[in-house]
Amino acid sequence: MTERVVLAYSGGLDTSVCIGWIAEATGAEVVAVAVDVGQGGEDLDVIRERALACGAVEAEVVDARDEFAEGYCLPAIRANALYMDRYPLVSALSRPVIVEHLVAAARRHDAGVVAHGCTGKGNDQVRFEAGIASLAPDLTCLAPVRDHAMTRDKAIAFAEEKGLPIATTGKSPYSIDQNVFGRAVETGFLEDIWNGPVEDLYEYTRDPAAPRGADEVVITFDKGAPVALDGRPVTVLQAVVELNERAGAQGIGRIDMVEDRLVGIKSREVYEAPGAMALITAHRELESVTVERELARFKRGVEQRWTELVYDGLWFSPLKRALDGFVNEANEHVCGDIRMTLHGGRAVVTGRRSERSLYDFDLATYDTGDTFDQSMAKGFIEIFGLSGKIAAKRDLTR
């Protein structure tokens, strides 16, 4: 039986060329798998037909938008996941859902190899291969672009020689990866970190400085999940899509940063994530009302570690699974409404309410009706500061 290779297929130049290259170099049959995580662009049926025309023996297309939103974006919202306190893991979140479908396809087609089109300088090679190793340690990985120096010039020459039905002209000056949770842009003139981004680089967001009226939105959460916008029930996917439009129209979610890549280099990245940033901002604010102080303090450390694991491609790791349990438990009471004003590139919280609120007006007020017993404070302070006082006496007598 001829060996089969399952290829993560995007429909672009590199992965289209990979189909023919793998078949020619290894003699294996290629099964192309394209996963829709809300990246937009070409119709999936068009991508499927292109894969077959490029030599794939079979081509599968998967609409994973709801799965991606519910199973991957939602955990990131609950974890307030921002790598280096800024990046909402746009690309990192999409890789494990793609990996799951690649492994499932490999099982269906009795394939022993999974291939991808990543280079050797990025994070995605790790996310794909570490994920595959965790789900299916018996499978091996093939990376033609990385391991066989498949440059763009070589890819174009191969495509022209074989008559592959793909466009090879009009190359974008940027490298772009996008999905429903956001958009990542790099390379080109952005590699000079003194150069500022130009306006035509953006698609998900409008110029935050352009004059326009403000937009007010009320986001309802249940156990950390967005379940309604302005009182209208929504799925997680619908919440992200609508806030991409509304927050994006206000220029919210633009991020320009120099990022520490897993492979050890620093990389200049420009991101657009209007829906993600609006939801994380609202979720974090609702936590401030509903999560107990010590739990909230500990969760901040868990959030950072959770984010680093996902960024580093360890979505399926034992530690990540264990931290998921903590994050879910910490979100048990994150229920209620957050009112936000979207305007001028900012999502500003203006109101909070929750039946699970730990905010007690009678304890917090300084006016008549205050129920806080201030007489307890003196003794509390004396005991709280006692160890420091004892140490200070010792140190002052030395």
Side-chain angles (χ1 to χ4, degrees):
M1 181 177 177
T2 303
E3 183 179 11
R4 285 195 161 186
V5 174
V6 167
L7 170 68
Y9 185 65
S10 68
L13 172 65
D14 288 341
T15 54
S16 293
V17 167
C18 279
I19 294 174
W21 184 91
I22 291 169
E24 187 173 280
T26 69
E29 296 178 336
V30 177
V31 177
V33 177
V35 182
D36 183 3
V37 287
Q39 61 266 40
E42 294 181 301
D43 183 89
L44 282 179
D45 288 334
V46 173
I47 291 175
R48 180 179 183 278
E49 291 303 319
R50 180 177 302 138
L52 294 171
C54 287
V57 295
E58 294 192 46
E60 298 183 359
V61 293
V62 182
D63 183 349
R65 290 173 294 177
D66 276 300
E67 178 186 355
F68 175 52
E70 295 282 348
Y72 299 83
C73 301
L74 176 55
I77 294 167
R78 284 176 166 152
N80 300 318
L82 296 174
Y83 181 68
M84 297 177 67
D85 298 321
R86 300 179 68 190
Y87 165 48
L89 300 177
V90 169
S91 297
L93 289 170
S94 72
R95 299 327 186 217
V97 68
I98 295 171
V99 163
E100 290 213 63
H101 286 282
L102 292 173
V103 170
R107 298 306 189 208
R108 284 194 301 274
H109 296 283
D110 293 322
V113 179
V114 175
H116 60 77
C118 301
T119 71
K121 292 179 69 173
N123 301 307
D124 284 340
Q125 56 180 333
V126 183
R127 294 165 182 160
F128 277 115
E129 295 186 26
I132 291 164
S134 293
L135 291 183
D138 57 304
L139 297 179
T140 57
C141 292
L142 181 63
V145 175
R146 179 192 67 198
D147 297 338
H148 299 277
M150 187 185 289
T151 63
R152 182 173 176 82
D153 289 344
K154 290 180 180 178
I156 290 173
F158 186 93
E160 291 176 346
E161 177 189 348
K162 304 298 181 182
L164 301 181
I166 53 178
T168 58
T169 59
K171 181 179 184 291
S172 168
Y174 316 116
S175 174
I176 298 171
D177 180 64
Q178 62 190 43
N179 56 55
V180 72
F181 211 52
R183 185 169 178 266
V185 185
E186 62 179 7
T187 71
F189 77 96
L190 294 172
E191 290 176 346
D192 183 340
I193 60 176
W194 187 249
N195 289 336
V198 294
E199 195 60 29
D200 68 1
L201 177 151
Y202 298 103
E203 286 189 9
Y204 283 18
T205 58
R206 296 181 61 191
D207 183 356
R212 63 176 68 86
D215 183 6
E216 185 176 270
V217 61
V218 175
I219 306 174
T220 302
F221 289 88
D222 181 36
K223 297 184 179 180
V227 295
L229 295 178
D230 296 325
R232 292 176 288 102
V234 292
T235 64
V236 177
L237 178 61
Q238 290 168 339
V240 175
V241 169
E242 181 169 333
L243 287 170
N244 275 343
E245 295 175 358
R246 294 173 66 175
Q250 299 288 338
I252 293 164
R254 291 187 175 186
I255 304 158
D256 178 3
M257 64 185 289
V258 175
E259 179 181 302
D260 289 325
R261 281 189 177 177
L262 174 60
V263 295
I265 64 175
K266 290 184 180 289
S267 175
R268 201 275 187 82
E269 308 286 340
V270 175
Y271 297 108
E272 299 178 275
M277 295 307 296
L279 286 165
I280 289 172
T281 300
H283 176 268
R284 179 179 283 165
E285 189 69 20
L286 187 57
E287 281 191 330
S288 74
V289 176
T290 58
V291 178
E292 184 271 334
R293 175 175 177 261
E294 293 303 318
L295 176 57
R297 282 183 168 183
F298 193 82
K299 185 172 182 286
R300 283 190 284 274
V302 171
E303 289 171 355
Q304 179 174 340
R305 192 70 189 101
W306 190 97
T307 301
E308 291 168 349
L309 289 169
V310 175
Y311 183 88
D312 290 348
L314 299 175
W315 180 274
F316 302 106
S317 68
L319 177 56
K320 157 66 171 49
R321 287 197 301 271
L323 295 183
D324 283 338
F326 172 85
V327 171
N328 289 337
E329 175 66 23
N331 274 270
E332 186 67 22
H333 298 294
V334 184
C335 306
D337 300 322
I338 293 294
R339 187 179 63 235
M340 304 178 76
T341 297
L342 311 175
H343 189 243
R346 300 178 65 208
V348 179
V349 174
T350 62
R352 316 137 183 89
R353 64 187 177 194
S354 172
E355 293 182 357
R356 309 282 184 89
S357 175
L358 298 177
Y359 178 85
D360 187 322
F361 177 87
D362 292 335
L363 287 173
T365 184
Y366 285 86
D367 294 334
T368 302
D370 178 9
T371 60
F372 186 89
D373 186 351
Q374 298 190 41
S375 67
M376 297 188 299
K378 179 176 175 57
F380 162 74
I381 295 169
E382 289 179 355
I383 294 173
F384 183 76
L386 183 59
S387 64
K389 182 178 179 179
I390 294 170
K393 285 182 178 180
R394 178 202 63 192
D395 296 342
L396 289 173
T397 58
R398 293 180 64 182

